[in-house]
Amino acid sequence: MCGITGFLGFPAKAMAGKVLRSMTAAIAHRGPDDEGYWLDEESEVALGHQRLSIVDLSSNGHQPMTSVDGRYVIVFNGEVYNFKDVRAEIEATGSAPAWRGHSDTEVMLAAISAWGVERALQRFTGMFALALWDRTERRLFLARDRLGEKPLYYGWSGDTFFFASELKALRRWPGWQPEIDRGSIALLMRYGYVPTPYSIYRRVFKLSPGAFVTVNLGDARRGPAADPRAPLPVRHYWSLRDTVRLSTDQRFAGNEREAADQLDQLLRASIRRQMIADVPLGAFLSGGVDSSTVVALMQAQSNASIRTFTIGFNEGAYDEAVYAKAVAKHLGTDHTELYVTASEAMSVIPKLPDLYDEPFADSSQIPTHLVSRIARADVTVSLSGDAGDELFGGYDRYFVGRRIWRRIGWIPRGLRRSAARLLTALSPDQWERIFARVGPYLPRAARQPNPGDKIHKLAEILDATGSQDFYRGLISHWRNPSGLVLGSHEPQTILELPDQWPKLDDFVERMMFLDSVSYLPDDILVKVDRAAMGVGLETRVPLLDHSIVEFAWRLPPALKVRDGTGKWLLRQVLYRYVPRELIERPKMGFGVPIDSWLRGPLVEWAESLLNEGRLRREGFFDVSEISRKWCEHRDGVRNWHYYLWDVLMFQAWLDNHQGVSGR
């Protein structure tokens, strides 16, 4: 795991080296073990690297690294887990170079020299973002891993094209005057993150997962297209859409036992590859299905006790540490747990704007950073169980959404709108009082926390035009972001472009696909990457090995979701290693009680950021709408914390980046 940066096009050659060092230093937290720089003044290209040493700790792994034939120079962030297999394949051809060390970076260069960029990328199994300069063709390649585990931003300042693992490196560019994109703020208000390919800045973009772009000096000097929201055209060496199309045309035809056996084997192979490291390694363990599966298969393939880490909270509704401890005890891991006070958790909040670099409003970023900090005290690499929900159908909203849509989708839209007006005739507080009276007489499934808020949320999405519009409403925070963000136009994302989806008749599978190309790379993986890299910890996600992704999409829906429960097949694998009773419990998630904190210890902080005078001066938001929700939340009338956290994270980020234009 490392940090990369660089640029193409020198405004002043005498300053290029100094600028490159400054940009690279801005991401030193991503790679505190080593730093490296490479410039070619004639071609006007510069590459910078910060290294977190994981494999081949010697100077033979130093970057930027040049290929043996001298044609290519690379900076690379991440890990290629199958590099030994790729190396053996190159050696089998009889044309292998004289190896200098045993790093994956060296193997990548040899593969690119042997097969070309696109074919080599197709051979790599791993997580990565890379920049490669072709000295013969004078072209810069930028590429990103299949599912988007590692970040890569790019953009323009004047006649210079620049790129980096994080935006903070780009902000070191002399004379760059970043301009906030109001359309991206609108997206943030809807989803809690800024989706790919957009960033919070105009003329700066995220490279799409599974894709690469090429840039030459002429492209750098021409800048982007006339539309400042237009990213570079990309070429996909792998796409989830095509994978889903092929996989669902070739459904798994075996029985349940055979499916579990094959998944077990694929998971073991992926985890075995991801346990390769020349530094201490461990795993996050929440005690849930996904992390317990990863840890169980790690321990099954290790002679020593695996190091596992979890944090706990004294608030029972948010504490999973007791479950993690029970799983750890059964598996025999070397387990570390730390109970965190509310004040310790809240102490992370001032660090979030710098950690995440652009506004990011998933509040589970707080415990994720805390558990990463605990793990870093003992290990340099930690495996996680992320992506199980998207691959095997684990989110509650999938089942709730499908159940609701089946019941209401056939009703004419006008009647659904009338029903919505009836539901909102009573305030959430009034609904809460009704449910409090009748709750003991309701079936267990109907006893939901915050029923008033959920009824009003249901009313908001009753006028959906179709199932995809219904799901977009289900996952939206602010219902009309363009009305909230002054002067904004909310750009389209994959969620509004059904012609870019594979044909999936099953509601849950369709939503799993959409989450896998939006929520997973732009929320879950961003959250984990920044939280961990902020303390110099490499995280690995075994479930995102593309062999597992492709197999998961071959499975019939009934092997993933059964009797209203998700991850059915994944659970069958887990139960081979961990007793069912240690796992079966309601899904909790990994959160903190932001709603109550905003009414208590965070109230002054929130008041300062949501001050009406300040909001009017800054000119980004419809002040009345935010003020109304803040007053209702503060006074306990409604729980608006998801909406308010979006605004608060933008405001806190803006505080940390004074002087950024918002034209």
Side-chain angles (χ1 to χ4, degrees):
M1 194 77 72
C2 305
I4 66 174
T5 190
F7 47 89
L8 183 59
F10 291 178
K13 292 185 179 181
M15 295 289 291
K18 182 179 179 181
V19 171
L20 179 62
R21 287 177 179 272
S22 176
M23 293 174 69
T24 307
I27 51 175
H29 56 281
R30 295 188 68 91
D33 297 329
D34 189 20
E35 60 190 38
Y37 317 95
W38 183 86
L39 294 95
D40 183 335
E41 290 191 0
E42 181 183 356
S43 297
E44 298 187 29
V45 62
L47 304 175
H49 187 262
Q50 289 285 164
R51 185 184 184 200
L52 180 63
S53 302
I54 303 295
V55 175
D56 192 347
L57 309 186
S58 73
S59 60
N60 290 323
H62 177 80
Q63 297 182 46
M65 186 181 290
T66 304
S67 61
V68 171
D69 61 11
R71 176 173 178 175
Y72 298 105
V73 185
I74 194 172
V75 284
F76 157 59
N77 164 31
E79 304 286 346
V80 170
Y81 304 122
N82 68 331
F83 75 96
K84 291 183 178 180
D85 296 334
V86 174
R87 177 169 170 157
E89 189 175 351
I90 295 170
E91 290 172 345
T93 66
S95 59
W99 303 107
R100 293 164 288 187
H102 65 275
S103 73
D104 52 353
T105 311
E106 186 177 2
V107 174
M108 293 171 73
L109 281 170
I112 290 167
S113 295
W115 304 321
V117 173
E118 185 168 5
R119 285 185 61 204
L121 289 170
Q122 291 168 347
R123 304 284 185 94
F124 299 153
T125 297
M127 55 175 186
F128 52 83
L130 64 85
L132 178 85
W133 178 248
D134 182 340
R135 301 173 79 175
T136 301
E137 298 290 338
R138 290 194 171 189
R139 291 187 298 170
L140 179 70
F141 292 85
L142 301 180
R144 196 171 174 207
D145 63 68
R146 290 172 175 82
L147 278 304
E149 290 186 60
K150 294 295 99 191
L152 189 54
Y153 293 87
Y154 69 87
W156 290 264
S157 177
D159 289 338
T160 298
F161 175 86
F162 50 17
F163 65 88
S165 298
E166 297 184 20
L167 289 173
K168 54 176 63 69
L170 303 187
R171 285 195 286 267
R172 295 286 183 91
W173 185 259
W176 184 43
Q177 297 180 326
E179 181 182 348
I180 295 173
D181 191 318
R182 289 176 181 252
S184 292
I185 305 176
L187 291 170
L188 174 71
M189 294 301 109
R190 181 177 294 281
Y191 301 117
Y193 57 85
V194 180
T196 301
Y198 310 112
S199 85
I200 193 62
Y201 298 130
R202 293 163 68 87
R203 293 169 60 92
V204 175
F205 305 93
K206 302 182 183 90
L207 182 60
S208 299
F212 67 96
V213 296
T214 59
V215 188
N216 58 38
L217 190 58
D219 296 325
R221 288 177 171 160
R222 282 194 299 271
D227 178 2
R229 291 208 58 86
L232 286 170
V234 302
R235 289 178 60 185
H236 282 274
Y237 65 89
W238 186 93
S239 84
L240 184 62
R241 179 181 64 176
D242 292 343
T243 294
V244 172
R245 284 173 175 167
L246 291 172
S247 298
T248 53
D249 284 343
Q250 301 170 5
R251 290 288 192 184
F252 181 80
N255 60 37
E256 294 172 356
R257 178 60 184 247
E258 291 168 337
D261 288 345
Q262 188 163 341
L263 179 57
D264 194 334
Q265 292 169 9
L266 289 169
L267 288 167
R268 278 176 170 265
S270 173
I271 290 167
R272 184 167 56 250
R273 283 192 291 266
Q274 298 198 21
M275 290 174 67
I276 296 174
D278 296 333
V279 294
L281 174 143
F284 300 141
L285 178 61
S286 70
V289 173
D290 306 334
S291 66
S292 297
T293 302
V294 169
V295 170
L297 290 170
M298 290 177 73
Q299 192 60 72
Q301 301 180 91
S302 174
N303 294 324
S305 294
I306 296 295
R307 295 298 309 266
T308 53
F309 304 90
T310 193
I311 59 170
F313 295 96
N314 292 318
E315 294 92 341
Y318 296 88
D319 181 33
E320 289 190 301
V322 63
Y323 307 116
K325 185 176 183 178
V327 172
K329 182 179 179 180
H330 174 80
L331 293 173
T333 71
D334 182 358
H335 190 58
T336 298
E337 68 174 16
L338 180 67
Y339 272 79
V340 179
T341 66
S343 61
E344 287 173 319
M346 285 184 284
S347 70
V348 175
I349 293 175
K351 304 173 185 177
L352 295 177
D354 187 56
L355 272 174
Y356 284 86
D357 226 13
E358 70 177 345
F360 182 76
D362 182 338
S363 61
S364 63
Q365 62 202 134
I366 297 170
T368 304
H369 179 66
L370 289 168
V371 75
S372 298
R373 195 165 69 191
I374 294 163
R376 187 62 178 92
D378 294 304
V379 300
T380 310
V381 177
S382 184
L383 275 62
S384 83
D386 292 301
D389 291 300
E390 290 83 0
L391 290 178
F392 295 97
Y395 290 125
D396 289 343
R397 63 176 177 265
Y398 295 156
F399 324 123
V400 173
R402 179 167 64 180
R403 186 167 60 247
I404 292 173
W405 186 249
R406 281 176 174 174
R407 292 175 179 174
I408 70 169
W410 61 273
I411 301 173
R413 194 177 176 198
L415 290 178
R416 285 190 267 123
R417 284 177 171 170
S418 298
R421 286 192 291 270
L422 290 173
L423 291 174
T424 55
L426 296 179
S427 70
D429 188 53
Q430 289 172 310
W431 280 114
E432 299 279 352
R433 289 198 292 270
I434 291 172
F435 272 78
R437 292 194 189 105
V438 304
Y441 307 102
L442 293 174
R444 184 180 296 274
R447 300 176 201 170
Q448 297 286 328
N450 306 314
D453 286 323
K454 290 179 178 176
I455 287 172
H456 274 244
K457 176 70 174 177
L458 172 62
E460 289 178 357
I461 57 180
L462 280 176
D463 67 343
T465 56
S467 60
Q468 59 263 32
D469 186 41
F470 173 79
Y471 190 70
R472 183 168 177 257
L474 201 63
I475 61 174
S476 293
H477 296 185
W478 293 85
R479 191 75 167 135
N480 181 24
S482 293
L484 177 73
V485 181
L486 302 177
S488 71
H489 173 71
E490 185 180 357
Q492 284 188 318
T493 69
I494 184 69
L495 297 174
E496 295 88 59
L497 299 170
D499 60 317
Q500 296 185 16
W501 307 349
K503 187 179 185 304
L504 294 166
D505 296 326
D506 183 77
F507 180 94
V508 171
E509 284 200 314
R510 193 157 58 244
M511 300 311 110
M512 287 165 56
F513 169 78
L514 293 176
D515 277 350
S516 295
V517 293
S518 57
Y519 181 66
L520 176 64
D522 292 322
D523 186 305
I524 300 298
L525 298 179
V526 168
K527 175 184 65 180
V528 174
D529 176 82
R530 306 305 194 279
M533 290 312 300
V535 294
L537 177 73
E538 173 172 296
T539 51
R540 299 177 175 179
V541 188
L543 289 173
L544 286 183
D545 186 298
H546 67 280
S547 65
I548 295 173
V549 173
E550 290 162 1
F551 177 71
W553 278 102
R554 287 184 59 214
L555 295 172
L559 288 182
K560 288 179 276 192
V561 177
R562 186 172 294 188
D563 300 326
T565 301
K567 297 188 276 198
W568 185 85
L569 189 64
L570 195 61
R571 291 172 190 269
Q572 308 317 302
V573 173
L574 175 59
Y575 297 152
R576 297 177 174 186
Y577 304 91
V578 177
R580 182 186 299 260
E581 57 268 21
L582 291 184
I583 301 298
E584 292 295 343
R585 62 181 184 276
K587 188 178 180 67
M588 291 179 67
F590 194 41
V592 288
I594 292 292
D595 53 347
S596 60
W597 288 356
L598 289 176
R599 298 187 183 102
L602 290 180
V603 68
E604 291 186 7
W605 170 77
E607 289 274 13
S608 68
L609 293 174
L610 301 179
N611 176 272
E612 289 190 18
R614 170 183 174 157
L615 291 173
R616 287 196 177 91
R617 285 193 304 274
E618 292 166 345
F620 288 105
F621 295 110
D622 178 344
V623 179
S624 61
E625 182 68 11
I626 292 173
S627 295
R628 180 180 66 81
K629 281 185 168 55
W630 169 236
C631 289
E632 289 182 356
H633 184 89
R634 183 193 58 202
D635 297 340
V637 176
R638 287 287 305 270
N639 179 9
W640 292 115
H641 85 270
Y642 285 113
Y643 299 76
L644 294 169
W645 194 247
D646 296 338
V647 180
L648 287 165
M649 285 295 94
F650 176 79
Q651 291 295 103
W653 176 85
L654 193 63
D655 245 6
N656 203 55
H657 298 85
Q658 292 293 337
V660 180
S661 169
R663 293 192 300 274

